[in-house]
Amino acid sequence: MSSAASRPRNLFLRSISDADFAAFAGILERTELPARADLEVCGRTVEWVYFPESGIATVLAKGGRHGEIEVGSIGYENITGLSIFLGDDRACYTIRTQTPGRAWRAPARRVRALLHDRPSCRVAGLPFVNAFQALLGSTSLANGRATLEERLARWLLMAQDRLEDDTFHVTHKLLAHAMGARTASICLAAKALEHRGLVVKTHSRIRILDRQGLEAFAADIYGAAERESSRLVGWMPGLQRLEHRDTSADLRPQFLSA
């Protein structure tokens, strides 16, 4: 399994050298990820590093009495356990799956040992750390400066980038939790996007009708982090990726649930 095409779908595992992939392959195991599973918990020791192939996980900042708010997403384009690549063993955020999916995983202690023995593996992970930092910055800008309608447009684009489908199930309750908003406000924001002809929605399903229009509406809060990911790790989110997506059975659409 040396060529990139024959490796797992996760972008990190596809991008590293043959020698580094062989080192990781010796500690990886396949796993199915249910929805609403915590892959990391803020402040706790990282037990596993996950290399997703499908599905999407939300990265949550916790604020005590202020609850949680989404600060990023992880799909097949990145990995969890990035703090391990920076020499720490604690999670800065809670990472929780939003959809069922598949992943490879490795015990964090074995990843730490591998990074110690093979510095090239640590170096290979740093662009993914930087890509994730770009996403954090973009989400901070969106949370602080954008309207709820713009933030919802961005969220839908990010979900489509990772799930590679234009229709998915997502409840107002889940969106409200992710965005730190009231459910009624999410409903109004979704209706605003629908009135513009960008999406069509029911209570639990949203279909993107106009990807380019949605990008234009999200404006500056979508695109910067994605361009950085393209530069750093070669990810191609958006229409270019969607137009060339694999339609095989094991890449069928994933769905968001409450």
Side-chain angles (χ1 to χ4, degrees):
M1 216 158 63
S2 59
S3 72
S6 63
R7 296 182 190 179
R9 185 167 179 256
N10 178 266
L11 188 58
F12 173 83
L13 294 178
R14 284 183 174 246
S15 69
I16 58 180
S17 70
D18 288 348
D20 287 344
F21 176 73
F24 270 102
I27 62 173
L28 291 173
E29 63 180 52
R30 189 73 173 271
T31 186
E32 298 291 326
L33 300 176
R36 306 294 292 171
D38 284 346
L39 307 184
E40 294 183 14
V41 178
C42 181
R44 296 186 186 176
T45 300
V46 177
E47 299 292 340
W48 295 91
V49 177
Y50 290 86
F51 304 79
E53 289 192 285
S54 65
I56 185 172
T58 183
V59 183
L60 300 163
K62 299 175 70 70
R65 65 184 179 87
H66 297 291
E68 301 174 329
I69 190 169
E70 184 174 284
V71 295
S73 297
I74 292 177
Y76 71 93
E77 86 293 344
N78 214 313
I79 63 177
T80 71
L82 290 174
S83 59
I84 302 297
F85 287 81
L86 298 176
D88 196 10
D89 65 349
R90 297 294 180 93
C92 295
Y93 307 98
T94 292
I95 301 179
R96 182 175 299 143
T97 58
Q98 288 182 327
T99 73
R102 301 184 318 274
W104 294 82
R105 70 177 186 174
R109 59 180 177 78
R110 299 195 67 182
V111 174
R112 286 195 295 271
L114 188 154
L115 299 182
H116 179 270
D117 294 339
R118 296 186 62 86
S120 60
C121 290
R122 182 185 301 276
V123 171
L126 296 182
F128 290 86
V129 175
N130 282 342
F132 182 69
Q133 288 178 334
L135 180 60
L136 292 178
S138 180
T139 305
S140 296
L141 177 65
N143 288 344
R145 296 295 179 87
T147 66
L148 186 59
E149 291 85 356
E150 291 168 339
R151 291 170 58 202
L152 177 58
R154 175 179 181 266
W155 192 97
L156 294 171
L157 290 165
M158 290 172 58
Q160 187 184 42
D161 287 342
R162 291 159 177 83
L163 299 179
E164 298 189 333
D165 192 54
D166 60 5
T167 302
F168 32 85
H169 293 287
V170 55
T171 65
H172 294 157
K173 180 181 178 181
L174 184 147
L175 289 170
H177 180 263
M179 296 186 186
R182 295 184 302 119
T183 302
S185 298
I186 292 293
C187 183
L188 293 174
K191 286 182 179 178
L193 297 183
E194 187 172 34
H195 289 162
R196 290 175 176 269
L198 302 176
V199 304
V200 61
K201 74 172 192 67
T202 64
H203 176 69
S204 61
R205 176 179 293 185
I206 293 181
R207 179 184 179 191
I208 294 176
L209 299 177
D210 183 356
R211 165 84 191 200
Q212 292 179 319
L214 206 60
E215 288 184 7
F217 185 80
D220 292 340
I221 64 168
Y222 175 83
E226 288 70 25
R227 286 189 292 272
E228 278 298 282
S229 287
S230 178
R231 181 183 70 85
L232 290 164
V233 302
W235 186 41
M236 296 189 301
L239 284 177
Q240 186 176 9
R241 168 67 66 175
L242 291 169
E243 288 167 357
H244 297 88
R245 68 175 179 245
D246 186 340
T247 56
S248 61
D250 64 346
L251 296 183
R252 61 186 179 275
Q254 301 292 321
F255 296 105
L256 302 173
S257 58

